[in-house]
Amino acid sequence: TQPIVALFGPNVPLVHNAATYAINPFGGHVYARGQAGWRRTFELNVFGSAPAAWLAMRSMRTDGGGKIINVASRAAWRGETEFADYGASKAALVNLTRSIARACAKDNIVASCVAPGFIETEMAKPELVKHYDEIVNQIPLRRVGSVGDVAGVILFLASPMGDYLNGVTIDINGGSWFQ
């Protein structure tokens, strides 16, 4: 974190947006491949976020506080059938965010989460190409979200307007899923 502080100054929010996803149904034919998918997914989606947060918190405590914003997914709430490992990893990320929020508030560190639905990204592109009409029909706003839709909420959380939001998860999915 020290090079980041040197480059941007103190109190730079940590936004953890790394993720991996692949179809990995419970009924897969090769046990080892399914288990490898779970390990790969959790390694990046959860075990990548926790150490990054831990390192950022070291600087944030020295600087008088800070913000951690994690990008989860509506999959955290749904109980996914084709990619349960992804949904479970995003649910773990929501819980990690809540744990950080409760444990670190005393240090003026707040943590929040956004939970996008389908967003026009490279990661979502294969599913959007294969199932676009089915996906859009699940969304009351009748459109897939944009990166700008998510970035706007993250900017809000990172700004002073989001200073009192701690431990929250904001759904960004056009109304396709409610928690």
Side-chain angles (χ1 to χ4, degrees):
T1 61
Q2 293 308 320
I4 293 171
V5 172
L7 188 61
F8 295 106
N11 297 317
V12 175
L14 169 67
V15 178
H16 187 262
N17 188 36
T20 188
Y21 145 91
I23 299 296
N24 190 11
F26 282 119
H29 297 292
V30 181
Y31 176 80
R33 186 171 45 209
Q35 293 305 297
W38 277 82
R39 281 189 295 281
R40 181 184 61 249
T41 300
F42 267 76
E43 189 64 40
L44 182 61
N45 297 3
V46 181
F47 304 138
S49 181
W54 189 86
L55 290 169
M57 286 184 280
R58 286 178 37 190
S59 290
M60 290 175 181
R61 285 185 182 101
T62 301
D63 297 335
K67 293 185 176 184
I68 297 171
I69 303 165
N70 287 317
V71 179
S73 169
R74 77 174 191 165
W77 317 117
R78 285 177 31 104
E80 299 297 346
T81 58
E82 296 296 311
F83 42 92
D85 52 350
Y86 177 77
S89 74
K90 292 303 187 171
L93 190 59
V94 169
N95 194 278
L96 172 65
T97 302
R98 291 175 177 171
S99 297
I100 292 168
R102 293 192 66 216
C104 298
K106 67 185 181 312
D107 298 317
N108 198 34
I109 297 170
V110 298
S112 55
C113 217
V114 295
F118 274 98
I119 304 296
E120 293 174 353
T121 63
E122 285 302 313
M123 188 173 86
K125 188 182 236 176
E127 285 299 303
L128 290 171
V129 167
K130 281 198 301 194
H131 304 290
Y132 186 81
D133 289 338
E134 178 185 335
I135 290 166
V136 169
N137 285 332
Q138 295 175 20
I139 304 169
L141 288 178
R142 294 289 183 245
R143 69 174 179 86
V144 172
S146 71
V147 171
D149 292 328
V150 178
V153 176
I154 291 172
L155 284 171
F156 167 77
L157 290 169
S159 80
M161 292 183 285
D163 284 353
Y164 201 61
L165 294 173
N166 193 25
V168 301
T169 299
I170 298 175
D171 294 324
I172 310 168
N173 60 39
S176 67
W177 190 260
F178 301 108
Q179 54 168 317

